[in-house]
């Protein structure tokens, strides 16, 4: 089956530093990847849609200068949280879309837990 | 605005019971609907995906149905087990290549 990995699985950083999270589709090429954020006991909220080779599309209220997304290849997208603050502490999950003929499905990574101290 | 609503928000039932989780969505336009399971602190596990042309999907003790006209989907869990305890998320894709819209989930606790 289609597998999506994320690295790191968890990270602790100091306020003001930047953190990069990688999302990889391991056994398929994904032209589109999505980044979500999940606060405790809440559902996933889409942050941005990332297409290979083009700029990401951010959802309303998401600061594009703070959450930098790079989708340099068909198997890798990165999310960089710049100048992180404690309120950025959250669970970040990526997904990668796979088109197979007429079907379309998103496959999710295991998530990255970010704690900003 | 597209919305996905899940009822109930939380549910506790004794082991062995059959149960139904409900999901409703605005706008009958739908490409597919998917049910996920999420354990605390973990990522998502896809349970069932129903294409817009389908009415239901089954996997083991799980059965998911889709009624586009009423904007509803249900997840039926038969003979519940303590290992079924988790949060169940309903998610809708309106168009192919489109983003997924998640409900807030139902937190299920199966009592041994």
């Amino acid at each position: 089956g289609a597998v999506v990995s994320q690295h790191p699985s968890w990270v602790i950083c100091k306020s003001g530093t930047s953190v990069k999270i990688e999302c990889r589709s391991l056994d398929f090429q994904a032209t589109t990847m999505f980044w979500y954020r999940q606060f405790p006991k809440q559902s996933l909220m889409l942050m941005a849609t990332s297409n290979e080779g083009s700029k990401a599309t951010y959802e309303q209220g998401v600061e594009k200068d703070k959450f930098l997304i790079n989708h340099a290849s068909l198997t890798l997208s990165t999310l960089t949280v710049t100048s992180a603050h404690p309120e950025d502490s959250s669970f970040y999950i990526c997904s990668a879309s796979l088109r197979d003929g007429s079907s379309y499905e998103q496959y999710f990574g295991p998530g990255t837990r970010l704690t900003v101290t | 605005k597209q919305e996905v609503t899940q009822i109930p928000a939380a549910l506790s039932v004794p082991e062995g019971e059959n149960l139904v989780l409900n999901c409703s969505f605005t706008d009958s336009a739908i490409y597919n609907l998917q049910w996920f399971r999420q354990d605390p602190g973990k990522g998502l596990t896809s349970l069932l995906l129903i294409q817009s042309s389908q009415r239901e999907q089954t996997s083991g003790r799980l059965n998911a149905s889709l009624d586009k006209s009423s904007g509803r989907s249900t997840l039926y869990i038969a003979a519940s087990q303590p290992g079924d305890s988790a949060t169940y998320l309903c998610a809708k894709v309106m168009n192919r290549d489109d983003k997924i819209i998640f409900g807030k989930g139902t937190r299920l606790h199966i009592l041994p």
Side-chain angles (χ1 to χ4, degrees):
Chain A
V3 179
V4 177
S5 70
Q6 279 185 243
H7 178 78
S9 56
W10 60 270
V11 56
I12 301 173
C13 71
K14 293 184 177 180
S15 185
T17 61
S18 295
V19 174
K20 180 185 286 187
I21 302 170
E22 292 186 348
C23 176
R24 292 181 185 272
S25 55
L26 298 184
D27 49 3
F28 66 99
Q29 293 183 331
T31 54
T32 306
M33 290 185 172
F34 302 84
W35 287 95
Y36 297 83
R37 182 166 57 182
Q38 185 179 36
F39 292 108
K41 296 188 178 181
Q42 294 189 23
S43 191
L44 280 73
M45 296 300 296
L46 179 67
M47 299 175 66
T49 302
S50 168
N51 289 295
E52 184 266 339
S54 62
K55 291 183 178 180
T57 302
Y58 291 81
E59 294 297 298
Q60 190 173 8
V62 177
E63 300 175 59
K64 61 180 181 181
D65 294 330
K66 180 171 184 60
F67 299 99
L68 301 179
I69 293 174
N70 183 279
H71 193 161
S73 76
L74 289 173
T75 60
L76 173 65
S77 177
T78 61
L79 168 68
T80 301
V81 182
T82 62
S83 186
H85 291 285
E87 57 265 32
D88 298 324
S89 298
S90 186
F91 193 52
Y92 293 85
I93 302 178
C94 73
S95 70
S97 63
L98 173 61
R99 302 188 195 98
D100 181 12
S102 60
S103 70
Y104 167 81
E105 187 171 350
Q106 288 187 31
Y107 294 88
F108 286 80
T112 296
R113 183 161 304 283
L114 170 64
T115 301
V116 185
T117 61
Chain B
K1 180 182 177 183
Q2 292 289 315
E3 290 190 352
V4 176
T5 304
Q6 291 189 244
I7 296 174
L11 181 64
S12 291
V13 298
E15 179 179 6
E17 283 198 7
N18 302 323
L19 53 98
V20 175
L21 307 183
N22 295 293
C23 172
S24 62
F25 47 90
T26 58
D27 196 328
S28 60
I30 183 169
Y31 183 78
N32 64 42
L33 186 132
Q34 200 162 359
W35 283 91
F36 294 89
R37 167 183 174 143
Q38 186 176 31
D39 293 285
K42 303 294 184 180
L44 302 181
T45 298
S46 177
L47 298 175
L48 291 164
L49 183 148
I50 310 175
Q51 300 289 353
S52 62
S53 58
Q54 299 172 325
R55 285 185 173 268
E56 65 176 352
Q57 284 287 331
T58 297
S59 175
R61 295 182 293 109
L62 305 179
N63 175 275
S65 66
L66 173 63
D67 184 341
K68 290 188 298 180
S69 61
S70 65
R72 295 180 186 276
S73 176
T74 61
L75 178 66
Y76 176 83
I77 303 177
S80 59
Q81 303 171 358
D84 295 331
S85 297
T87 296
Y88 290 81
L89 296 166
C90 171
K92 171 190 169 183
V93 175
M94 191 167 72
N95 298 300
R96 180 174 159 151
D97 298 340
D98 206 352
K99 60 187 178 184
I100 287 181
I101 301 170
F102 284 90
K104 292 185 177 181
T106 294
R107 295 188 304 280
L108 177 64
H109 184 206
I110 306 300
L111 305 169

